[in-house]
Amino acid sequence: MTLVIRSYRKDDQSAVSNLFVDTVQAIPLSDYTQDQLDAWAPKDSVGGIDWDKRIHPGNGYVILLKDRLAAFGTIDQNGYLDFLYVHPKHQRQKLATYLFTRMELEAEELKLAKIYTYASITAKPFFEKMGFRTIRENWIERNGVRFMNWYMEKKM
Ligand SMILES: CC(C)(COP(=O)(O)OP(=O)(O)OC[C@H]1O[C@@H](n2cnc3c(N)ncnc32)[C@H](O)[C@@H]1OP(=O)(O)O)[C@@H](O)C(=O)NCCC(=O)NCCS
């Protein structure tokens, strides 16, 4: 299968927002309730995210499989990893590992001291596998619904 990993482009935005909603909505209900998933990624408003603010060619990477978006992620110049989402059809095929490896390379080039993220319950085992430490539980409120994630970091 042809796999392309490249920087995010503005014309990826609609595919990225659709993948975000599809991926969050497929998260097991053992991790988050349906109300929490709906608040995290509302189906009717492209995820309710200001995409122009959160992902741009300077901070985002995408993976395409046969020309279709399969995964995306962002990391900023301070080492903050905001998004990492792999379409449910393509999970456990190492796509997040490829994206994270690319991000880690960038962090090394920038001589950053650490990469940090607020990992979902679902993503915690992945970040542990990548060498992150769990620092603390974190609670957020989105669209009036409270839910928890984990503040995690990896020293470089
Ligand atoms: C978390 C996520 C990005 C992982 O993507 P992925 O491409 O499936 O991950 P990889 O295939 O690269 O996984 C590498 C390793 O991480 C660990 N891992 C990944 N997903 C796991 C899971 N659901 N349960 C346990 N371990 C997991 C495994 O050790 C895996 O290696 P293995 O498959 O050989 O056992 C993906 O599950 C996802 O998009 N989840 C929903 C959205 C989300 O919560 N994103 C994070 C927001 S902070």
Side-chain angles (χ1 to χ4, degrees):
M1 201 182 293
T2 323
L3 182 151
V4 172
I5 179 163
R6 62 157 169 78
S7 289
Y8 173 84
R9 294 194 311 234
K10 184 92 176 81
D11 62 2
D12 293 321
Q13 192 181 99
S14 129
V16 158
S17 59
N18 287 328
L19 186 145
F20 172 76
V21 173
D22 291 348
T23 305
V24 171
Q25 290 294 336
I27 283 176
L29 294 175
S30 48
D31 289 349
Y32 292 97
T33 66
Q34 189 59 52
D35 280 354
Q36 289 172 324
L37 300 183
D38 291 344
W40 182 353
K43 289 176 214 155
D44 52 358
S45 63
V46 286
I49 305 262
D50 184 348
W51 290 103
D52 283 330
K53 229 182 187 166
R54 301 274 293 276
I55 183 166
H56 45 80
N59 75 348
Y61 295 99
V62 299
I63 291 183
L64 307 178
L65 287 176
K66 288 192 188 160
D67 295 330
R68 290 186 66 136
L69 186 80
F72 74 98
T74 64
I75 186 166
D76 74 11
Q77 304 253 314
N78 299 314
Y80 173 51
L81 190 158
D82 187 2
F83 291 106
L84 188 60
Y85 289 78
V86 176
H87 191 281
K89 236 176 36 192
H90 300 296
Q91 288 176 7
R92 302 304 283 264
Q93 297 167 21
K94 301 285 189 271
L95 298 193
T97 303
Y98 296 145
L99 279 177
F100 180 70
T101 304
R102 184 67 195 80
M103 292 174 180
E104 209 172 18
L105 201 65
E106 183 174 327
E108 275 166 21
E109 281 163 6
L110 292 170
K111 301 196 181 341
L112 297 179
K114 66 177 182 191
I115 298 178
Y116 63 100
T117 193
Y118 293 91
S120 66
I121 294 167
T122 320
K124 185 171 180 268
F126 168 80
F127 285 110
E128 283 168 346
K129 182 80 180 182
M130 295 300 115
F132 280 70
R133 273 194 325 128
T134 306
I135 307 297
R136 64 172 182 275
E137 188 178 303
N138 179 62
W139 282 85
I140 54 171
E141 185 175 322
R142 202 164 292 160
N143 298 319
V145 180
R146 266 169 62 78
F147 50 102
M148 68 87 62
N149 54 28
W150 298 98
Y151 176 72
M152 301 181 76
E153 59 181 39
K154 178 174 183 176
K155 297 252 191 288
M156 301 298 293

Tab-separated table of all heavy atoms in Angstrom, residues 36-88:
chain	number	residue	atom	x	y	z
A	36	GLN	N	-19.462	12.582	26.549
A	36	GLN	CA	-18.100	13.129	26.516
A	36	GLN	C	-17.560	13.127	25.082
A	36	GLN	O	-16.942	14.109	24.644
A	36	GLN	CB	-17.185	12.326	27.452
A	36	GLN	CG	-17.502	12.578	28.914
A	36	GLN	CD	-16.749	11.648	29.847
A	36	GLN	OE1	-16.522	10.481	29.549
A	36	GLN	NE2	-16.363	12.177	31.004
A	37	LEU	N	-17.806	12.049	24.337
A	37	LEU	CA	-17.325	11.992	22.943
A	37	LEU	C	-17.994	13.078	22.103
A	37	LEU	O	-17.338	13.725	21.271
A	37	LEU	CB	-17.568	10.604	22.340
A	37	LEU	CG	-16.885	9.423	23.040
A	37	LEU	CD1	-17.168	8.127	22.280
A	37	LEU	CD2	-15.376	9.632	23.193
A	38	ASP	N	-19.289	13.301	22.356
A	38	ASP	CA	-20.022	14.329	21.589
A	38	ASP	C	-19.506	15.729	21.918
A	38	ASP	O	-19.493	16.609	21.063
A	38	ASP	CB	-21.523	14.249	21.871
A	38	ASP	CG	-22.150	12.987	21.283
A	38	ASP	OD1	-21.517	12.342	20.422
A	38	ASP	OD2	-23.272	12.637	21.706
A	39	ALA	N	-19.087	15.944	23.168
A	39	ALA	CA	-18.547	17.256	23.552
A	39	ALA	C	-17.131	17.430	22.993
A	39	ALA	O	-16.727	18.525	22.601
A	39	ALA	CB	-18.523	17.371	25.074
A	40	TRP	N	-16.381	16.354	22.953
A	40	TRP	CA	-14.995	16.364	22.447
A	40	TRP	C	-14.999	16.635	20.933
A	40	TRP	O	-14.221	17.446	20.442
A	40	TRP	CB	-14.391	15.007	22.779
A	40	TRP	CG	-12.977	14.740	22.430
A	40	TRP	CD1	-12.119	15.525	21.711
A	40	TRP	CD2	-12.234	13.566	22.794
A	40	TRP	NE1	-10.904	14.906	21.604
A	40	TRP	CE2	-10.947	13.704	22.261
A	40	TRP	CE3	-12.552	12.408	23.504
A	40	TRP	CZ2	-9.966	12.729	22.410
A	40	TRP	CZ3	-11.585	11.436	23.665
A	40	TRP	CH2	-10.297	11.597	23.130
A	41	ALA	N	-15.884	15.972	20.218
A	41	ALA	CA	-15.916	16.096	18.754
A	41	ALA	C	-17.355	16.118	18.267
A	41	ALA	O	-17.874	15.115	17.791
A	41	ALA	CB	-15.158	14.930	18.125
A	42	PRO	N	-18.009	17.289	18.386
A	42	PRO	CA	-19.403	17.383	17.935
A	42	PRO	C	-19.514	17.052	16.445
A	42	PRO	O	-18.757	17.592	15.635
A	42	PRO	CB	-19.760	18.856	18.187
A	42	PRO	CG	-18.710	19.386	19.098
A	42	PRO	CD	-17.482	18.557	18.900
A	43	LYS	N	-20.460	16.155	16.121
A	43	LYS	CA	-20.558	15.654	14.739
A	43	LYS	C	-20.959	16.741	13.747
A	43	LYS	O	-20.583	16.710	12.594
A	43	LYS	CB	-21.612	14.534	14.688
A	43	LYS	CG	-21.163	13.268	15.368
A	43	LYS	CD	-22.296	12.240	15.369
A	43	LYS	CE	-22.208	11.424	16.642
A	43	LYS	NZ	-23.426	10.831	17.096
A	44	ASP	N	-21.777	17.721	14.219
A	44	ASP	CA	-22.356	18.664	13.266
A	44	ASP	C	-21.536	19.941	13.095
A	44	ASP	O	-21.987	20.881	12.478
A	44	ASP	CB	-23.784	19.022	13.711
A	44	ASP	CG	-23.801	19.483	15.158
A	44	ASP	OD1	-22.722	19.479	15.787
A	44	ASP	OD2	-24.877	19.848	15.648
A	45	SER	N	-20.349	20.026	13.677
A	45	SER	CA	-19.615	21.293	13.544
A	45	SER	C	-18.126	21.035	13.300
A	45	SER	O	-17.272	21.664	13.922
A	45	SER	CB	-19.797	22.136	14.804
A	45	SER	OG	-19.243	21.454	15.906
A	46	VAL	N	-17.838	20.106	12.399
A	46	VAL	CA	-16.457	19.690	12.092
A	46	VAL	C	-15.563	19.650	13.338
A	46	VAL	O	-14.441	20.126	13.353
A	46	VAL	CB	-15.787	20.524	10.969
A	46	VAL	CG1	-16.354	20.150	9.625
A	46	VAL	CG2	-15.842	22.010	11.220
A	47	GLY	N	-16.130	19.050	14.374
A	47	GLY	CA	-15.343	18.852	15.580
A	47	GLY	C	-15.344	20.056	16.505
A	47	GLY	O	-14.770	20.000	17.588
A	48	GLY	N	-16.003	21.149	16.097
A	48	GLY	CA	-16.058	22.324	16.964
A	48	GLY	C	-14.699	22.942	17.227
A	48	GLY	O	-14.477	23.584	18.244
A	49	ILE	N	-13.768	22.761	16.300
A	49	ILE	CA	-12.387	23.219	16.503
A	49	ILE	C	-12.100	24.401	15.576
A	49	ILE	O	-12.546	24.395	14.429
A	49	ILE	CB	-11.396	22.074	16.136
A	49	ILE	CG1	-11.706	20.809	16.925
A	49	ILE	CG2	-9.954	22.497	16.244
A	49	ILE	CD1	-10.899	20.562	18.130
A	50	ASP	N	-11.328	25.356	16.066
A	50	ASP	CA	-10.832	26.420	15.194
A	50	ASP	C	-9.590	25.872	14.485
A	50	ASP	O	-8.460	26.022	14.954
A	50	ASP	CB	-10.492	27.659	16.037
A	50	ASP	CG	-10.053	28.824	15.160
A	50	ASP	OD1	-9.802	28.605	13.952
A	50	ASP	OD2	-9.953	29.942	15.688
A	51	TRP	N	-9.809	25.165	13.378
A	51	TRP	CA	-8.718	24.407	12.738
A	51	TRP	C	-7.575	25.292	12.283
A	51	TRP	O	-6.412	24.905	12.388
A	51	TRP	CB	-9.269	23.565	11.571
A	51	TRP	CG	-10.109	22.428	12.072
A	51	TRP	CD1	-11.469	22.343	12.076
A	51	TRP	CD2	-9.636	21.238	12.717
A	51	TRP	NE1	-11.868	21.181	12.668
A	51	TRP	CE2	-10.776	20.479	13.058
A	51	TRP	CE3	-8.373	20.728	13.021
A	51	TRP	CZ2	-10.678	19.230	13.708
A	51	TRP	CZ3	-8.266	19.497	13.660
A	51	TRP	CH2	-9.408	18.769	13.990
A	52	ASP	N	-7.895	26.504	11.764
A	52	ASP	CA	-6.818	27.384	11.280
A	52	ASP	C	-5.834	27.724	12.388
A	52	ASP	O	-4.647	27.897	12.152
A	52	ASP	CB	-7.397	28.686	10.714
A	52	ASP	CG	-7.973	28.459	9.331
A	52	ASP	OD1	-7.458	27.572	8.631
A	52	ASP	OD2	-8.945	29.145	8.984
A	53	LYS	N	-6.345	27.802	13.614
A	53	LYS	CA	-5.507	28.143	14.758
A	53	LYS	C	-4.672	26.936	15.206
A	53	LYS	O	-3.517	27.075	15.597
A	53	LYS	CB	-6.417	28.571	15.912
A	53	LYS	CG	-6.012	29.857	16.568
A	53	LYS	CD	-6.961	30.127	17.701
A	53	LYS	CE	-6.698	31.488	18.292
A	53	LYS	NZ	-7.814	31.872	19.138
A	54	ARG	N	-5.283	25.766	15.164
A	54	ARG	CA	-4.677	24.592	15.810
A	54	ARG	C	-3.758	23.783	14.896
A	54	ARG	O	-2.890	23.054	15.382
A	54	ARG	CB	-5.795	23.681	16.357
A	54	ARG	CG	-6.713	24.349	17.369
A	54	ARG	CD	-6.184	24.271	18.778
A	54	ARG	NE	-6.150	22.938	19.335
A	54	ARG	CZ	-7.179	22.314	19.912
A	54	ARG	NH1	-8.350	22.894	19.980
A	54	ARG	NH2	-7.017	21.108	20.425
A	55	ILE	N	-3.980	23.839	13.571
A	55	ILE	CA	-3.100	23.068	12.670
A	55	ILE	C	-2.799	23.897	11.429
A	55	ILE	O	-3.695	24.540	10.860
A	55	ILE	CB	-3.702	21.680	12.317
A	55	ILE	CG1	-2.738	20.862	11.443
A	55	ILE	CG2	-5.063	21.767	11.670
A	55	ILE	CD1	-3.086	19.367	11.327
A	56	HIS	N	-1.526	23.939	11.075
A	56	HIS	CA	-1.096	24.699	9.897
A	56	HIS	C	0.190	24.060	9.373
A	56	HIS	O	0.770	23.182	10.038
A	56	HIS	CB	-0.908	26.185	10.257
A	56	HIS	CG	-0.159	26.400	11.531
A	56	HIS	ND1	1.205	26.320	11.598
A	56	HIS	CD2	-0.582	26.646	12.797
A	56	HIS	CE1	1.588	26.531	12.855
A	56	HIS	NE2	0.524	26.719	13.588
A	57	PRO	N	0.653	24.474	8.190
A	57	PRO	CA	1.815	23.796	7.593
A	57	PRO	C	3.051	23.811	8.491
A	57	PRO	O	3.908	22.939	8.370
A	57	PRO	CB	2.048	24.587	6.306
A	57	PRO	CG	0.691	25.103	5.956
A	57	PRO	CD	0.034	25.438	7.268
A	58	GLY	N	3.127	24.744	9.455
A	58	GLY	CA	4.305	24.793	10.324
A	58	GLY	C	4.284	23.819	11.479
A	58	GLY	O	5.309	23.605	12.129
A	59	ASN	N	3.120	23.205	11.793
A	59	ASN	CA	3.101	22.338	12.985
A	59	ASN	C	2.465	20.969	12.760
A	59	ASN	O	2.444	20.145	13.672
A	59	ASN	CB	2.392	23.044	14.155
A	59	ASN	CG	0.873	23.073	13.994
A	59	ASN	OD1	0.345	22.770	12.929
A	59	ASN	ND2	0.168	23.439	15.039
A	60	GLY	N	1.939	20.731	11.553
A	60	GLY	CA	1.171	19.497	11.361
A	60	GLY	C	1.779	18.533	10.357
A	60	GLY	O	2.459	18.936	9.415
A	61	TYR	N	1.509	17.254	10.608
A	61	TYR	CA	1.914	16.193	9.669
A	61	TYR	C	0.702	15.326	9.378
A	61	TYR	O	-0.172	15.153	10.241
A	61	TYR	CB	3.004	15.307	10.278
A	61	TYR	CG	4.294	16.039	10.518
A	61	TYR	CD1	4.612	16.521	11.779
A	61	TYR	CD2	5.179	16.281	9.471
A	61	TYR	CE1	5.786	17.223	11.997
A	61	TYR	CE2	6.349	16.988	9.684
A	61	TYR	CZ	6.647	17.449	10.948
A	61	TYR	OH	7.802	18.149	11.152
A	62	VAL	N	0.671	14.783	8.171
A	62	VAL	CA	-0.416	13.862	7.813
A	62	VAL	C	0.176	12.596	7.213
A	62	VAL	O	1.300	12.601	6.704
A	62	VAL	CB	-1.399	14.494	6.788
A	62	VAL	CG1	-2.056	15.743	7.354
A	62	VAL	CG2	-0.715	14.800	5.465
A	63	ILE	N	-0.617	11.524	7.300
A	63	ILE	CA	-0.278	10.296	6.563
A	63	ILE	C	-1.427	10.011	5.604
A	63	ILE	O	-2.602	10.031	5.998
A	63	ILE	CB	-0.066	9.093	7.502
A	63	ILE	CG1	1.211	9.290	8.322
A	63	ILE	CG2	0.006	7.791	6.709
A	63	ILE	CD1	1.570	8.128	9.232
A	64	LEU	N	-1.064	9.760	4.352
A	64	LEU	CA	-2.046	9.371	3.345
A	64	LEU	C	-1.799	7.921	2.968
A	64	LEU	O	-0.643	7.499	2.818
A	64	LEU	CB	-1.905	10.226	2.076
A	64	LEU	CG	-1.925	11.747	2.249
A	64	LEU	CD1	-1.718	12.421	0.895
A	64	LEU	CD2	-3.241	12.207	2.844
A	65	LEU	N	-2.886	7.168	2.852
A	65	LEU	CA	-2.803	5.808	2.332
A	65	LEU	C	-3.647	5.782	1.077
A	65	LEU	O	-4.843	6.121	1.146
A	65	LEU	CB	-3.357	4.795	3.344
A	65	LEU	CG	-2.500	4.497	4.574
A	65	LEU	CD1	-3.245	3.558	5.526
A	65	LEU	CD2	-1.168	3.873	4.187
A	66	LYS	N	-3.057	5.389	-0.022
A	66	LYS	CA	-3.751	5.422	-1.319
A	66	LYS	C	-4.463	6.766	-1.502
A	66	LYS	O	-5.663	6.818	-1.807
A	66	LYS	CB	-4.773	4.294	-1.411
A	66	LYS	CG	-4.173	2.922	-1.570
A	66	LYS	CD	-5.289	1.956	-1.934
A	66	LYS	CE	-4.838	0.535	-1.926
A	66	LYS	NZ	-5.956	-0.404	-1.809
A	67	ASP	N	-3.734	7.863	-1.244
A	67	ASP	CA	-4.229	9.224	-1.438
A	67	ASP	C	-5.323	9.661	-0.466
A	67	ASP	O	-5.874	10.743	-0.625
A	67	ASP	CB	-4.754	9.445	-2.874
A	67	ASP	CG	-3.637	9.318	-3.889
A	67	ASP	OD1	-2.490	9.624	-3.526
A	67	ASP	OD2	-3.926	8.899	-5.022
A	68	ARG	N	-5.651	8.818	0.494
A	68	ARG	CA	-6.695	9.230	1.466
A	68	ARG	C	-6.072	9.454	2.829
A	68	ARG	O	-5.207	8.680	3.262
A	68	ARG	CB	-7.768	8.141	1.589
A	68	ARG	CG	-8.616	8.036	0.334
A	68	ARG	CD	-9.729	7.076	0.578
A	68	ARG	NE	-10.640	7.643	1.594
A	68	ARG	CZ	-11.945	7.614	1.480
A	68	ARG	NH1	-12.497	7.071	0.428
A	68	ARG	NH2	-12.719	8.112	2.422
A	69	LEU	N	-6.559	10.491	3.516
A	69	LEU	CA	-6.016	10.798	4.836
A	69	LEU	C	-6.282	9.641	5.807
A	69	LEU	O	-7.423	9.201	5.957
A	69	LEU	CB	-6.662	12.074	5.386
A	69	LEU	CG	-6.035	12.537	6.695
A	69	LEU	CD1	-4.736	13.293	6.434
A	69	LEU	CD2	-6.995	13.402	7.494
A	70	ALA	N	-5.217	9.170	6.455
A	70	ALA	CA	-5.361	8.057	7.404
A	70	ALA	C	-4.992	8.473	8.822
A	70	ALA	O	-5.407	7.807	9.785
A	70	ALA	CB	-4.486	6.889	6.965
A	71	ALA	N	-4.214	9.555	8.966
A	71	ALA	CA	-3.771	9.986	10.303
A	71	ALA	C	-3.228	11.402	10.223
A	71	ALA	O	-2.782	11.841	9.165
A	71	ALA	CB	-2.672	9.043	10.809
A	72	PHE	N	-3.285	12.109	11.365
A	72	PHE	CA	-2.637	13.419	11.422
A	72	PHE	C	-2.186	13.695	12.843
A	72	PHE	O	-2.657	13.078	13.808
A	72	PHE	CB	-3.561	14.543	10.917
A	72	PHE	CG	-4.670	14.922	11.863
A	72	PHE	CD1	-4.552	16.011	12.711
A	72	PHE	CD2	-5.846	14.183	11.903
A	72	PHE	CE1	-5.571	16.372	13.583
A	72	PHE	CE2	-6.873	14.526	12.776
A	72	PHE	CZ	-6.739	15.622	13.615
A	73	GLY	N	-1.231	14.623	12.952
A	73	GLY	CA	-0.726	14.992	14.272
A	73	GLY	C	-0.078	16.361	14.213
A	73	GLY	O	0.274	16.853	13.135
A	74	THR	N	0.028	16.993	15.393
A	74	THR	CA	0.689	18.303	15.454
A	74	THR	C	1.678	18.351	16.617
A	74	THR	O	1.475	17.697	17.646
A	74	THR	CB	-0.323	19.458	15.671
A	74	THR	OG1	-0.953	19.293	16.942
A	74	THR	CG2	-1.366	19.514	14.584
A	75	ILE	N	2.728	19.116	16.405
A	75	ILE	CA	3.651	19.432	17.499
A	75	ILE	C	4.142	20.860	17.280
A	75	ILE	O	4.416	21.247	16.134
A	75	ILE	CB	4.831	18.436	17.558
A	75	ILE	CG1	5.682	18.704	18.809
A	75	ILE	CG2	5.675	18.458	16.288
A	75	ILE	CD1	6.655	17.591	19.135
A	76	ASP	N	4.198	21.658	18.356
A	76	ASP	CA	4.650	23.040	18.153
A	76	ASP	C	6.112	23.207	18.566
A	76	ASP	O	6.765	22.245	18.980
A	76	ASP	CB	3.706	24.039	18.847
A	76	ASP	CG	3.856	24.048	20.362
A	76	ASP	OD1	4.825	23.451	20.882
A	76	ASP	OD2	3.000	24.658	21.027
A	77	GLN	N	6.578	24.428	18.460
A	77	GLN	CA	8.004	24.718	18.680
A	77	GLN	C	8.424	24.583	20.142
A	77	GLN	O	9.608	24.639	20.455
A	77	GLN	CB	8.301	26.138	18.205
A	77	GLN	CG	7.916	26.378	16.763
A	77	GLN	CD	9.121	26.478	15.846
A	77	GLN	OE1	10.058	27.162	16.186
A	77	GLN	NE2	9.078	25.797	14.716
A	78	ASN	N	7.438	24.437	21.038
A	78	ASN	CA	7.756	24.211	22.454
A	78	ASN	C	7.697	22.737	22.825
A	78	ASN	O	7.863	22.382	23.995
A	78	ASN	CB	6.762	24.965	23.351
A	78	ASN	CG	6.828	26.453	23.110
A	78	ASN	OD1	7.916	27.019	23.042
A	78	ASN	ND2	5.670	27.077	22.951
A	79	GLY	N	7.380	21.882	21.831
A	79	GLY	CA	7.289	20.448	22.121
A	79	GLY	C	5.906	20.015	22.569
A	79	GLY	O	5.734	18.891	23.038
A	80	TYR	N	4.912	20.898	22.416
A	80	TYR	CA	3.546	20.519	22.787
A	80	TYR	C	2.890	19.740	21.649
A	80	TYR	O	2.705	20.265	20.547
A	80	TYR	CB	2.725	21.769	23.131
A	80	TYR	CG	1.257	21.470	23.355
A	80	TYR	CD1	0.874	20.450	24.227
A	80	TYR	CD2	0.264	22.175	22.692
A	80	TYR	CE1	-0.464	20.141	24.428
A	80	TYR	CE2	-1.079	21.889	22.895
A	80	TYR	CZ	-1.427	20.866	23.760
A	80	TYR	OH	-2.761	20.561	23.948
A	81	LEU	N	2.573	18.485	21.932
A	81	LEU	CA	1.880	17.632	20.957
A	81	LEU	C	0.385	17.768	21.238
A	81	LEU	O	-0.093	17.326	22.286
A	81	LEU	CB	2.365	16.190	21.139
A	81	LEU	CG	1.966	15.152	20.093
A	81	LEU	CD1	2.934	13.968	20.128
A	81	LEU	CD2	0.546	14.663	20.279
A	82	ASP	N	-0.322	18.419	20.335
A	82	ASP	CA	-1.736	18.735	20.544
A	82	ASP	C	-2.612	17.604	20.006
A	82	ASP	O	-3.364	16.976	20.748
A	82	ASP	CB	-2.026	20.083	19.845
A	82	ASP	CG	-3.421	20.616	20.115
A	82	ASP	OD1	-4.173	19.977	20.862
A	82	ASP	OD2	-3.757	21.692	19.568
A	83	PHE	N	-2.491	17.299	18.701
A	83	PHE	CA	-3.323	16.263	18.084
A	83	PHE	C	-2.495	15.039	17.703
A	83	PHE	O	-1.347	15.176	17.238
A	83	PHE	CB	-3.926	16.776	16.768
A	83	PHE	CG	-4.967	17.843	16.926
A	83	PHE	CD1	-4.674	19.164	16.615
A	83	PHE	CD2	-6.245	17.530	17.342
A	83	PHE	CE1	-5.636	20.159	16.722
A	83	PHE	CE2	-7.216	18.519	17.452
A	83	PHE	CZ	-6.910	19.833	17.138
A	84	LEU	N	-3.104	13.862	17.848
A	84	LEU	CA	-2.562	12.638	17.239
A	84	LEU	C	-3.748	11.701	17.039
A	84	LEU	O	-4.266	11.119	18.008
A	84	LEU	CB	-1.490	12.000	18.129
A	84	LEU	CG	-0.733	10.839	17.483
A	84	LEU	CD1	0.004	11.276	16.214
A	84	LEU	CD2	0.251	10.230	18.462
A	85	TYR	N	-4.175	11.582	15.815
A	85	TYR	CA	-5.407	10.834	15.518
A	85	TYR	C	-5.184	9.927	14.320
A	85	TYR	O	-4.720	10.376	13.268
A	85	TYR	CB	-6.576	11.801	15.224
A	85	TYR	CG	-7.028	12.515	16.475
A	85	TYR	CD1	-6.297	13.588	16.987
A	85	TYR	CD2	-8.138	12.087	17.178
A	85	TYR	CE1	-6.679	14.208	18.164
A	85	TYR	CE2	-8.535	12.711	18.352
A	85	TYR	CZ	-7.790	13.764	18.842
A	85	TYR	OH	-8.161	14.370	20.010
A	86	VAL	N	-5.542	8.651	14.501
A	86	VAL	CA	-5.423	7.661	13.426
A	86	VAL	C	-6.821	7.113	13.158
A	86	VAL	O	-7.534	6.723	14.112
A	86	VAL	CB	-4.478	6.509	13.839
A	86	VAL	CG1	-4.438	5.428	12.765
A	86	VAL	CG2	-3.072	7.055	14.107
A	87	HIS	N	-7.221	7.096	11.913
A	87	HIS	CA	-8.562	6.608	11.577
A	87	HIS	C	-8.739	5.181	12.112
A	87	HIS	O	-7.831	4.356	12.000
A	87	HIS	CB	-8.752	6.620	10.045
A	87	HIS	CG	-10.180	6.386	9.659
A	87	HIS	ND1	-10.759	5.139	9.648
A	87	HIS	CD2	-11.154	7.263	9.312
A	87	HIS	CE1	-12.029	5.244	9.294
A	87	HIS	NE2	-12.298	6.530	9.088
A	88	PRO	N	-9.918	4.897	12.706
A	88	PRO	CA	-10.143	3.579	13.315
A	88	PRO	C	-9.817	2.401	12.391
A	88	PRO	O	-9.340	1.351	12.842
A	88	PRO	CB	-11.631	3.578	13.661
A	88	PRO	CG	-12.120	4.973	13.513
A	88	PRO	CD	-11.047	5.814	12.886
